[in-house]
Amino acid sequence: MNAISIEHISKSYPSSDEKALDDVTLTIKKGSIVGILGPNGAGKTTLISSIVHLIKFDSGNITVLNQPHTNPAIKYKLGLVPQEYALYFELTPFENLVYFGRMLNIPKRELVKKIDELLEVLGLTAVKNNRLKTFSGGMKRRVNLAASILNNPEILILDEPTVGVDVQSRAVIMNYLKQLNEVEGMTIVYTSHLMAEAQDFCRFVYIIDNGKIVVGDSPKNLMNTYEVKNLEEVFLKLTGKNK
Amino acid sequence: MKKLFAGIKKELILLGRDKAGLTLLFLMPAILVVVITMVQNSTFQLMKDNLIPVVIVDKDNSATSKNLISEIAKIKEFNITVKSTLSEENLNKGVQKGTYKVGVFVPKGFGDFTDNTSNVTAQQIIASINDKTYGEISKSDTVRIQLIFDPVMKLSFRTAIKEGMENIITGMATKQMISTLYAELTDREIPDKIYKLLSQKPHYFEEKIKDNNGQTVIPSSTLHNVPAWSVFAMFFIVMGLGTNILYEKQQGSFMRLRTLPVSFMNVLLAKVITYIMVCFAQIAVILAIAFYVFPSIGLPTMEWPPSMITFIIITFLIALAATSYGMLVGTLATTIAQASAFGPISVMVLAAIGGVWVPTFAMPEFLQKLSIISPLNWGLESYYGIFIRHSTILDLGTYVLLFIMFSICCFSFTFASLKKQGII
């Protein structure tokens, strides 16, 4: 079963002559970990924003769990970890998570239990009552992730979740994502320009450049096809650009 | 509803942790209302209790000049000192240095000049009655009293003193002229009884300050300042609310909320309700100061308005207008500097033209006309209506409509702008 199906979507911004997305078609299988890789400005964030209905595309069609992506019920099944720290820095991690949890209609008792569990797994229990403004970038990223999985969504979309993150936080985040996929069966869609991380983490990758999907396959197959040692070389061969 | 309460709780926590914002929202208007009321009250008391020191140098020492001094002494606002040994130069220096606030120099020959002027005027009238002419006084014979003012004295004080003096001298000259006319027409001196009649001041005016119900209202600095600074404080939430919305736009929390199953109306409504609650809290603080602190520091006390419902409705509408304006500022701003500078500055300007600093009647005509565009003016006039004129909600119908229309416009522009920015 497909978690996400994207058919021929195109998107242009008034500020640019070039298309941000140009006839993009792809599918993401349920329970998979899929990377959408591309250089800066390739269209990764536009693609993700289209899936979660943050922006409207010009043409094409997106279905999520066999339903139109505009269906409000989808919001309960789809979590987004945005590139920005979409949190309140004056609140503690606990207060942030309570607020976003209430927006997801999670009953209070269940919510508190879930928050404690997440903070424990992500190594934030000791600082759960400290204000976010005192946190490092990595710690904020971990709270950002926690806010997106409060209701155990079936699909989790992460937009460059490890940008500017220290090694320790990156390990915590990536290990937990693997665990979510393996134990909970959560479908994970992940954008990045960190090829080594993607090669290790993703079972399938799409490489996007200039708004077009250049190729889609498993990292191993891609390396074999292009006769290179790592995903970074595949990326450079296909895009001809720096990461 | 649970989502709305969660939103309000979040907003209250955020507000509570913004110490600088809270200081601006509560402490600043509290200090302003106390300080400005004290200043205005002391000015009022100065006019009422503290007499203006006037030094008179009488170099004429005539019956007329003595009469003038006794008439000036009857003015309650003046504290008269006669120093006839002082030279004109020293009097000038004393006033310039601020030793004396007002100096009156009566030069030698002033009595003769006023007597002569009155007599000549009387003779001109008699000559006119008899179809004859009578000579005029040469300009070179004119003797003028010099009024010397401390440069720091305001124009309004100077004008009041000058007009008071002119009234006295005109009254004296008129009496002299009528006495001369009486003598010329009857060949007799004017009788004392008639002369005393000329000195009497008929009371043509009766001062009445009434509210809408015909009850006497005594205006005070408290009755002006409490409504004025309450309205100002409520609109000052624009700073906190503006930056609050901008942070949400910039930090991405608005974006996250869009991916969650919550209506954006719900998110904005939580902000509106929270900031309306803040406005009511501000009013409560200012009124508590007016009721409980003012009497203990000698300031005029406040009285509860006759209709609390009218007061609550108007306060709600002012708070709604202030909140809608704050949301618009936060939505249109793209940087913190814009939100934290434009918001308060625009409120200052609207307060200035709205009559918060200086009453609108004391403004130039074009500013008086301009004041009707300021929502702070609507708020101020509504509160004056409630506290001073004891108006009903029907009496304030125009302001109610203006507030509703203003809020609708601000909310509409906010939604349009958020939509254009792709936030909703």
Side-chain angles (χ1 to χ4, degrees):
Chain A
M1 183 188 175
N2 287 335
I4 300 170
S5 287
I6 297 173
E7 293 168 10
H8 305 292
I9 69 161
S10 293
K11 166 75 184 170
S12 299
Y13 290 107
S15 55
S16 173
D17 293 336
E18 290 179 17
K19 285 185 174 177
L21 293 176
D22 188 2
D23 196 29
V24 171
T25 296
L26 59 86
T27 53
I28 293 166
K29 289 201 163 47
K30 213 174 167 195
S32 61
I33 298 180
V34 174
I36 296 172
L37 313 177
N40 290 334
K44 304 186 293 288
T45 302
T46 303
L47 182 60
I48 279 182
S49 301
S50 301
I51 297 169
V52 297
H53 195 38
L54 280 175
I55 57 170
K56 286 178 183 168
F57 41 84
D58 305 330
S59 59
N61 187 36
I62 297 177
T63 54
V64 176
L65 300 168
N66 291 333
Q67 294 177 65
H69 76 307
T70 50
N71 186 339
I74 292 296
K75 289 185 174 180
Y76 287 98
K77 297 175 179 176
L78 201 152
L80 171 71
V81 182
Q83 210 175 116
E84 299 92 344
Y85 303 121
L87 301 161
Y88 300 98
F89 290 179
E90 285 298 329
L91 301 185
T92 65
F94 185 81
E95 288 162 345
N96 265 289
L97 298 178
V98 165
Y99 174 62
F100 291 119
R102 298 303 279 167
M103 296 300 119
L104 285 158
N105 281 335
I106 304 172
K108 204 169 183 181
R109 201 171 288 178
E110 191 185 316
L111 178 63
V112 171
K113 196 179 160 200
K114 180 71 183 176
I115 291 170
D116 285 340
E117 197 181 297
L118 281 172
L119 292 176
E120 179 67 35
V121 174
L122 292 167
L124 295 165
T125 304
V127 291
K128 73 181 238 184
N129 292 319
N130 295 0
R131 288 188 213 175
L132 228 62
K133 67 177 181 183
T134 63
F135 283 22
S136 68
M139 289 160 85
K140 284 176 191 160
R141 288 265 174 227
R142 283 185 258 167
V143 182
N144 213 18
L145 171 63
S148 307
I149 52 176
L150 283 164
N151 63 333
N152 292 324
E154 290 183 41
I155 303 167
L156 181 64
I157 299 178
L158 303 104
D159 193 4
E160 311 236 15
T162 54
V163 169
V165 169
D166 56 285
V167 178
Q168 190 193 14
S169 289
R170 182 177 294 179
V172 171
I173 291 170
M174 299 316 286
N175 287 338
Y176 188 58
L177 289 175
K178 276 182 187 168
Q179 190 187 324
L180 284 174
N181 175 257
E182 286 162 11
V183 179
E184 311 274 345
M186 195 180 282
T187 306
I188 293 176
V189 181
Y190 149 97
T191 75
S192 182
H193 56 251
L194 301 172
M195 295 302 133
E197 186 181 274
Q199 185 181 323
D200 176 51
F201 182 60
C202 302
R203 286 183 218 140
F204 197 95
V205 295
Y206 285 103
I207 293 178
I208 184 169
D209 193 21
N210 292 325
K212 288 181 178 173
I213 297 292
V214 181
V215 73
D217 209 336
S218 68
K220 196 178 170 185
N221 285 348
L222 285 173
M223 286 186 283
N224 287 338
T225 307
Y226 292 95
E227 297 174 336
V228 290
K229 289 176 191 167
N230 56 44
L231 200 55
E232 185 164 335
E233 288 179 43
V234 176
F235 182 82
L236 287 172
K237 246 184 176 176
L238 289 169
T239 64
K241 292 177 185 176
N242 291 327
K243 292 181 278 181
Chain B
M1 210 59 175
K2 282 178 185 171
K3 290 178 184 177
L4 185 63
F5 285 134
I8 293 169
K9 190 179 173 187
K10 182 258 294 180
E11 295 296 341
L12 287 174
I13 296 172
L14 286 174
L15 253 172
R17 292 194 179 150
D18 181 9
K19 299 286 181 285
L22 282 179
T23 306
L24 272 174
L25 289 179
F26 289 95
L27 198 60
M28 186 199 66
I31 291 172
L32 276 171
V33 76
V34 173
V35 172
I36 307 284
T37 309
M38 283 175 87
V39 169
Q40 285 190 3
N41 196 56
S42 64
T43 310
F44 181 70
Q45 289 300 322
L46 179 79
M47 293 293 290
K48 197 177 159 191
D49 302 332
N50 298 354
L51 305 179
I52 300 166
V54 178
V55 172
I56 303 177
V57 176
D58 181 11
K59 293 293 184 190
D60 189 42
N61 206 21
S62 63
T64 308
S65 66
K66 283 175 184 163
N67 194 14
L68 172 69
I69 293 167
S70 72
E71 288 293 323
I72 294 173
K74 286 178 188 168
I75 299 176
K76 288 174 190 169
E77 287 81 10
F78 292 166
N79 179 16
I80 304 292
T81 310
V82 180
K83 287 190 174 181
S84 294
T85 53
L86 213 60
S87 69
E88 185 182 353
E89 191 185 349
N90 285 340
L91 177 66
N92 268 297
K93 280 182 184 169
V95 175
Q96 280 162 10
K97 283 180 186 171
T99 313
Y100 317 120
K101 289 288 166 206
V102 184
V104 181
F105 185 80
V106 185
K108 194 161 178 55
F110 173 73
D112 289 344
F113 170 69
T114 48
D115 290 350
N116 192 24
T117 306
S118 302
N119 287 335
V120 168
T121 309
Q123 293 300 341
Q124 282 174 333
I125 294 168
I126 291 162
S128 176
I129 292 168
N130 297 326
D131 289 332
K132 290 177 182 170
T133 56
Y134 194 86
E136 290 185 357
I137 297 169
S138 161
K139 279 187 180 174
S140 59
D141 295 336
T142 304
V143 179
R144 291 180 193 277
I145 289 180
Q146 289 185 37
L147 272 179
I148 309 149
F149 291 106
D150 182 343
V152 301
M153 282 203 88
K154 282 187 173 179
L155 177 67
S156 53
F157 276 94
R158 295 205 308 265
T159 309
I161 292 166
K162 198 177 152 195
E163 283 179 357
M165 295 284 208
E166 273 180 356
N167 279 341
I168 292 168
I169 294 170
T170 309
M172 285 168 58
T174 308
K175 275 198 302 186
Q176 179 65 32
M177 189 187 68
I178 291 171
S179 302
T180 308
L181 272 174
Y182 191 96
E184 288 290 330
L185 293 171
T186 61
D187 285 334
R188 283 186 286 137
E189 285 292 309
I190 189 164
D192 277 355
K193 192 181 163 188
I194 303 297
Y195 192 79
K196 279 177 186 167
L197 267 178
L198 296 175
S199 303
Q200 282 179 1
K201 285 181 183 169
H203 293 283
Y204 294 116
F205 306 104
E206 185 187 355
E207 192 177 67
K208 283 185 177 178
I209 310 170
K210 303 277 185 187
D211 68 5
N212 282 357
N213 306 318
Q215 300 294 311
T216 299
V217 178
I218 301 164
S220 68
S221 49
T222 300
L223 281 175
H224 170 74
N225 282 296
V226 170
W229 297 109
S230 299
V231 175
F232 181 75
M234 282 196 271
F235 268 86
F236 222 74
I237 64 161
V238 66
M239 190 170 170
L241 183 53
T243 48
N244 170 300
I245 288 185
L246 191 69
Y247 272 125
E248 296 228 23
K249 282 199 303 184
Q250 288 184 337
Q251 290 182 351
S253 42
F254 269 172
M255 182 187 61
R256 183 190 291 281
L257 287 166
R258 281 186 62 203
T259 69
L260 301 179
V262 56
S263 150
F264 210 80
M265 275 295 287
N266 195 310
V267 176
L268 295 182
L269 191 61
K271 288 187 191 296
V272 172
I273 291 172
T274 305
Y275 278 86
I276 286 176
M277 283 161 61
V278 169
C279 288
F280 272 93
Q282 288 176 310
I283 283 286
V285 168
I286 293 174
L287 285 183
I289 290 171
F291 278 104
Y292 303 111
V293 180
F294 276 16
S296 65
I297 55 174
L299 291 175
T301 190
M302 194 80 187
E303 277 180 29
W304 286 109
S307 169
M308 279 307 285
I309 293 171
T310 307
F311 171 65
I312 290 167
I313 293 171
I314 290 294
T315 302
F316 171 79
L317 289 171
I318 298 172
L320 186 70
T323 307
S324 68
Y325 183 59
M327 292 189 87
L328 182 61
V329 168
T331 307
L332 295 178
T334 52
T335 63
I336 293 296
Q338 282 177 9
S340 57
F342 176 76
I345 290 171
S346 65
V347 170
M348 295 270 194
V349 172
L350 290 171
I353 62 171
V356 170
W357 311 101
V358 178
T360 47
F361 66 80
M363 292 179 183
E365 199 181 336
F366 86 96
L367 277 181
Q368 286 186 30
K369 285 178 182 165
L370 201 63
S371 71
I372 58 164
I373 66 158
S374 167
L376 277 86
N377 178 263
W378 313 334
L380 194 56
E381 290 299 329
S382 301
Y383 273 162
Y384 283 162
I386 294 168
F387 284 103
I388 301 174
R389 297 184 190 98
H390 298 163
S391 308
T392 63
I393 196 71
L394 288 176
D395 298 328
L396 303 171
T398 308
Y399 295 118
V400 170
L401 277 175
L402 282 169
F403 276 126
I404 291 171
M405 281 162 60
F406 178 82
S407 304
I408 290 172
C409 284
C410 285
F411 282 131
S412 303
F413 281 121
T414 299
F415 277 102
S417 176
L418 286 172
K419 209 161 181 67
K420 196 179 172 191
Q421 293 171 44
I423 293 168
I424 56 172

